[in-house]
Structure formats: C-alpha cells, structure tokens
Amino acid sequence: MPLHREIRRYRNRKLYDVVQSCYITLGELGEYIRAGDSINVIEQDSKKDLTALTMIQVLHLLEKESHTEQDKVMLNRIIRSTDGSFTGYIQELEKSIANPSSQCTTPLCQ
C-alpha cells in the first residue's frame, strides 16, 4: 500500500525518512516514488518545501544513469520550448495531446 513519506533535508543535503527513521539516498527516494508513495521534502532549518526541487534531482540522477545520444535532441526541444523549462515543455505537450486538432506552432511539433 502506498505511503505518504515525510522527508527532512538537512544542511549537509542528507535526506531523512521520518516514516522509517533513517537516512536515505536520492535513488531510494526515486524508488519510493516509483512504488507509488507520495513524498513531502522539507528543509529542516527553514521548513521550506523542497519537494519539487528534490524530485528534479531524482530525475537528474536517473538521466545521468541512462544518457543516450537521442537525449540531446529532446533537450534541445525542451530548451526551445516557450519558457525553456522542462515543466513548460511538458505542459505544452499535454496541451497538444489534449487538443490535437489545434494548430501547433511550438517546437514540440517540429
């Protein structure tokens, strides 16, 4: 059954899983997410929500492990998207999928 995991991030960038009472790696955090667990990452000192930033770090770790030549083409499309961010690229992609009859003028279609 999927869990909700509270993760604390310390100044030394260590991640602490409150549910299991132990330190974890970014790779382990990625395994939690793939298993269906929801996560919430909070900076211990400031109480700032670092969930999205930490998820990006998990994606970066996974990309480093599976880098191929075709990734360069996709990265170019992402950077050339409307706002040049991965999130913006995905939002544009979702819009083009949701409304396939619209005239697509973004780099996604090219």
Side-chain angles (χ1 to χ4, degrees), residues 1 21 34 39-40 43 49 53-54 57 66 69-70 89 91 97 110:
M1 180 161 101
S21 300
R34 283 191 296 279
I39 64 163
N40 192 28
E43 187 174 46
D49 185 347
L53 177 63
T54 305
Q57 290 174 321
S66 66
E69 189 65 33
Q70 291 183 348
Y89 176 79
Q91 288 171 344
I97 291 170
Q110 301 165 1

Side-chain angles (χ1 to χ4, degrees), residues 4 11-12 14 17 21-23 31 39 43-45 49 51 65-66 68 72 82-85 91 96 98-99 102 104:
H4 175 74
R11 274 191 186 171
N12 59 6
K14 282 192 173 186
D17 181 345
S21 300
C22 64
Y23 289 100
E31 290 172 17
I39 64 163
E43 187 174 46
Q44 179 62 24
D45 293 339
D49 185 347
T51 305
E65 293 172 355
S66 66
T68 65
K72 292 177 186 176
T82 302
D83 70 359
S85 72
Q91 288 171 344
S96 70
N99 193 5
S102 67
C104 186

